[in-house]
Amino acid sequence: MAANRRDVIRQALGIALIRDRYPLQLYGNFASATHSDRRTPPRHPRTPVIWSVDTGERLVALTFDDGPMPRWTPEVLTILEEQAVRATFFLVGRNVQAHGGMLAGRHQHEFANHTWQHLDLATMDYAAAHDALRRAHVTIARVTGREPTLFRPPFGHLAGSSLLAAADMGYTTVLWNLQMLESDYRDEPQGLVDYIVNTTSPGSIVLAHDTGAEDRLVAIRGLADMIRRLKRRGYAFVTVGELVAAGTACAATGLPAPDSK
């Protein structure tokens, strides 16, 4: 009966269409969203999930996924230092274990959890998802000296078990509302700069990568220009944690979020 209900729901929602159009993937084999795979509820009652932040200030958070790696992480760190910009790095635990030395002394940045080895949590049960977060958490805290409080699921895929694991560890789950579309601008690097500058709005969380496929160099090589142009438009660069705090303050004071870019 349960399987039949799932089939009806999938047909009613048009899962294939949704999967093609939106970045948050829906699978036929969801990891459980119930407590059936665990004996106790999470230690924390919720895990907020954020794509961007409502704020009355021109603030933007740059985020970099999948590092640290010798291939491009040092280049990204150098650009940020030259531009006096803070960012949030969603770190893969096993990469931190192997290459964490390059993060030494980078206390201006925020270090967050991107799981142990970047596997798709949406295909895992609770125990596997929790282990992927826990191993990365312990390693990031040991190497950087700070415990991460933010989590981003690989590929942006969410499922019940990964959200339960995030809630158990007290994480805020961070996605994004603006992404470096490197493959779209592989042959037009200035187009990517224009796209990011013209699409950024107050409270944006921008997804980038500091390692990976060759086309990601398009974004890295244009990063300094993006930062300079956004600064000229009055934007300040903050970590995701600072952006969330600014949004909370905005809500507390009743300030409206600006509509203009």
Side-chain angles (χ1 to χ4, degrees):
M1 180 64 71
N4 290 337
R5 285 200 299 270
R6 285 196 297 270
D7 290 342
V8 170
I9 292 171
R10 281 199 295 269
Q11 292 170 6
L13 291 178
I15 290 298
L17 177 60
I18 294 173
R19 185 171 56 224
D20 289 341
R21 293 184 59 188
Y22 294 94
L24 295 181
Q25 304 298 309
L26 301 177
Y27 291 86
N29 57 337
F30 286 101
S32 175
T34 72
H35 293 276
S36 61
D37 57 352
R38 56 181 295 145
R39 298 180 181 179
T40 57
R43 290 176 293 175
H44 301 273
R46 62 190 178 96
T47 174
V49 180
I50 62 171
W51 283 261
S52 62
V53 171
D54 289 327
T55 174
E57 304 174 74
R58 289 197 172 205
L59 302 176
V60 57
L62 291 175
T63 67
F64 296 89
D65 285 11
D66 301 351
M69 290 289 282
R71 181 179 166 101
W72 308 332
T73 298
E75 184 175 351
V76 170
L77 289 168
T78 297
I79 293 169
L80 296 176
E81 183 176 356
E82 291 173 347
Q83 299 297 322
V85 162
R86 296 188 299 280
T88 299
F89 288 82
F90 287 89
L91 305 174
V92 174
R94 66 177 181 179
N95 293 345
V96 175
Q97 180 171 276
H99 309 293
M102 65 182 64
L103 304 176
R106 309 285 186 168
H107 303 300
Q108 71 272 39
H109 300 304
E110 181 175 46
F111 301 124
N113 194 331
H114 201 38
T115 74
W116 175 251
Q117 57 180 331
H118 204 274
L119 298 179
D120 190 346
L121 299 185
T123 64
M124 298 181 185
D125 63 15
Y126 166 77
H130 190 277
D131 186 64
L133 268 67
R134 180 194 58 78
R135 292 181 69 189
H137 182 102
V138 170
T139 301
I140 293 168
R142 175 177 55 80
V143 171
T144 68
R146 290 178 291 177
E147 292 198 22
T149 61
L150 307 177
F151 153 67
R152 175 173 285 165
F155 316 106
H157 294 178
L158 292 177
S161 60
S162 54
L163 288 173
L164 279 173
D168 194 60
M169 299 184 69
Y171 278 129
T172 294
T173 300
V174 180
L175 298 173
W176 60 89
N177 69 314
L178 182 58
Q179 180 174 353
M180 300 276 189
L181 302 175
E182 300 98 338
S183 61
D184 290 357
Y185 293 94
R186 186 182 296 109
D187 301 319
E188 189 190 357
Q190 190 57 46
L192 179 58
V193 174
D194 294 341
Y195 168 73
I196 293 297
V197 172
N198 294 330
T199 310
T200 296
S201 59
S204 285
I205 297 174
V206 183
L207 169 65
H209 297 84
D210 57 324
T211 190
E214 196 74 21
D215 60 12
R216 289 174 180 173
L217 277 173
V218 174
I220 294 171
R221 289 169 177 164
L223 181 60
D225 194 17
M226 295 175 197
I227 292 170
R228 286 191 293 264
R229 288 178 56 183
L230 283 168
K231 283 182 175 179
R232 288 199 292 269
R233 293 192 176 197
Y235 280 93
F237 292 83
V238 295
T239 65
V240 171
E242 291 168 334
L243 187 63
V244 170
T248 301
C250 177
T253 59
L255 291 173
D259 293 328
S260 64
K261 296 178 183 177

